[in-house]
Amino acid sequence: QSVLTQPPSVSAAPGQKVTISCSGSSSNIGSNYVSWYQQLPGTGPKLLIYDNNKRPSEIPDRFSGSKSGTSATLGITGLQTGDEADYYCGTWDSSLSAVVFGGGTKLTVL
Amino acid sequence: QVQLVESGGGVVQPGRSLRLSCAASGFTFSSYGMHWVRQAPGKGLEWVAVISYDGSNNYYADSVKGRFTISRDTSKNTLYLQMNSLRAEDTAVYYCAKAPVSGWYLYAFDIWGQGTIVTVSS
């Protein structure tokens, strides 16, 4: 049981937009920055978003992040088959004094 | 370029110890907090531990507290994870990861190593 809650799977057609939600509480998302990671099959995780909505320079602007209260959302526009991967949200939990992750969401591009 | 390379994984019996290393290059190692994150076969990401840029602070996941110790050697640009009293549930790919912001920053990891596999089995 993960501290952060993500949908197990989402799907959309190529070229479309998809959003992935991440729900937490006041001790984690509600009071700390959220990050998002992409894990392609057989590879290590890759940072997509940090500090709720900042992108590393190499990440295309098709990827975006937002936060409201105790929830965060990853948005991906112009879906490509290469976007098929597992996506994880993460943050610091001030009550646990630990980094916490969501359980991961598998994105299928139909 | 910025790079992290883990080593030290392998097959170990329950109750035994193992030490993982993570060699850092391409950035000022002493300026960044460093983490260990693991992923059990077919499972999601699980954070293990963090150490501050200067080694003065560290935190651990409850699942490893009292058994694992994170440390760093700035002279060697290397991060370590000493794992004692290993259990079957510690079987995972272990990644070291760097914070994207210098100083005491706990919220994200921008550079990950390729991972090293630890299998705990009799």
Side-chain angles (χ1 to χ4, degrees):
Chain A
Q1 188 83 1
S2 301
V3 173
L4 305 181
T5 301
Q6 297 180 234
S9 63
V10 296
S11 62
Q16 296 301 304
K17 174 182 178 178
V18 71
T19 60
I20 298 173
S21 62
C22 177
S23 178
S25 68
S26 59
S27 65
N28 43 65
I29 292 178
S31 52
N32 295 297
Y33 290 123
V34 176
S35 56
W36 290 91
Y37 305 88
Q38 176 193 63
Q39 188 172 31
L40 297 170
T43 69
K46 177 181 181 180
L47 178 66
L48 294 176
I49 299 289
Y50 68 103
D51 289 359
N52 303 331
N53 55 20
K54 295 179 181 177
R55 280 180 290 106
S57 58
E58 67 275 17
I59 302 302
D61 59 6
R62 300 190 298 111
F63 296 90
S64 64
S66 64
K67 187 182 98 168
S68 178
T70 59
S71 293
T73 301
L74 173 70
I76 310 173
T77 60
L79 277 171
Q80 304 170 2
T81 56
D83 295 330
E84 286 202 334
D86 293 323
Y87 292 83
Y88 296 89
C89 59
T91 186
W92 179 257
D93 190 299
S94 302
S95 294
L96 299 175
S97 292
V99 173
V100 292
F101 288 106
T105 299
K106 183 175 182 61
L107 169 64
T108 300
V109 180
L110 301 168
Chain B
Q1 75 280 22
V2 179
Q3 193 173 12
L4 299 172
V5 179
E6 301 97 336
S7 61
V11 180
V12 60
Q13 293 179 328
R16 303 298 291 267
S17 298
L18 205 59
R19 188 178 82 157
L20 306 183
S21 299
C22 169
S25 59
F27 66 100
T28 305
F29 181 68
S30 60
S31 295
Y32 292 86
M34 296 293 296
H35 300 251
W36 287 98
V37 178
R38 68 184 181 183
Q39 187 169 33
K43 301 297 184 182
L45 301 176
E46 181 188 14
W47 175 79
V48 174
V50 60
I51 187 167
S52 61
Y53 62 96
D54 60 359
S56 63
N57 284 301
N58 51 62
Y59 292 102
Y60 298 90
D62 284 345
S63 58
V64 307
K65 202 171 293 182
R67 299 188 300 124
F68 290 12
T69 301
I70 188 171
S71 62
R72 64 193 298 160
D73 185 336
T74 300
S75 68
K76 297 181 179 179
N77 282 356
T78 301
L79 175 73
Y80 301 101
L81 185 67
Q82 178 67 44
M83 304 185 295
N84 299 331
S85 303
L86 283 162
R87 307 167 180 167
E89 54 264 37
D90 295 318
T91 294
V93 177
Y94 284 73
Y95 297 99
C96 62
K98 166 189 166 292
V101 177
S102 61
W104 188 226
Y105 180 92
L106 299 167
Y107 313 107
F109 324 97
D110 64 338
I111 304 297
W112 298 64
Q114 85 287 354
T116 188
I117 300 173
V118 173
T119 303
V120 183
S121 173
S122 54

